[in-house]
Amino acid sequence: MDAMDWALLAELQADARLSFSELARRVHMSAPAVAERVRRMEDAGVIAGYHARVDLAAAGRTVSALIRMSCYGARCVLRDEQAMAWPEILEVHRVTGDTCCLLRVATPSMTEFEELIDRLAPYGQPSSMMVLSSPVPYRPVPPA
């Protein structure tokens, strides 16, 4: 990736809805050249998708938490595709150490959060950390 690819990525990370012509204007290239570079980054997997950033509280998910799961073996939550598809689970990270994975979850209420913890309990030991605030909720990826 060269400096122009990174300039395009910076613009797309700020606003993925930009047209190729607007991207071209911002990085001083032709629209066809921009389209080709973007397609090449998509094909290479550098651009993995285009998504809307959602404010969880505004969308009704006011309870946000991280849950450490201590589970290994046949009953590990990572082995259950249905559990991995629960709508409260926003992210799953397999980690090192005495924890199997870290889940980022969001629910509409404490009652529903408690129900989620109860559903996770058969897989191992869940340990939750409530998110009080997120001083850095999103950060674009800069050049290395």
Side-chain angles (χ1 to χ4, degrees), residues 51-127:
H51 312 277
R53 247 182 294 145
V54 176
D55 181 310
L56 290 171
R61 301 258 187 119
T62 56
V63 177
S64 187
L66 301 172
I67 301 174
R68 286 185 354 220
M69 288 297 298
S70 296
C71 58
Y72 296 95
R75 287 294 298 156
C76 178
V77 71
L78 294 175
R79 298 181 190 275
D80 188 330
E81 290 180 22
Q82 288 181 336
M84 292 291 93
W86 292 344
E88 302 90 348
I89 298 175
L90 304 177
E91 293 178 22
V92 179
H93 303 277
R94 189 171 181 194
V95 296
T96 61
D98 60 354
T99 297
C100 172
C101 58
L102 184 64
L103 313 176
R104 186 171 74 91
V105 304
T107 62
S109 68
M110 284 303 289
T111 300
E112 291 179 67
F113 177 73
E114 186 177 1
E115 291 168 0
L116 175 62
I117 293 293
D118 290 343
R119 281 187 283 143
L120 286 168
Y123 296 99
Q125 183 177 7
S127 176

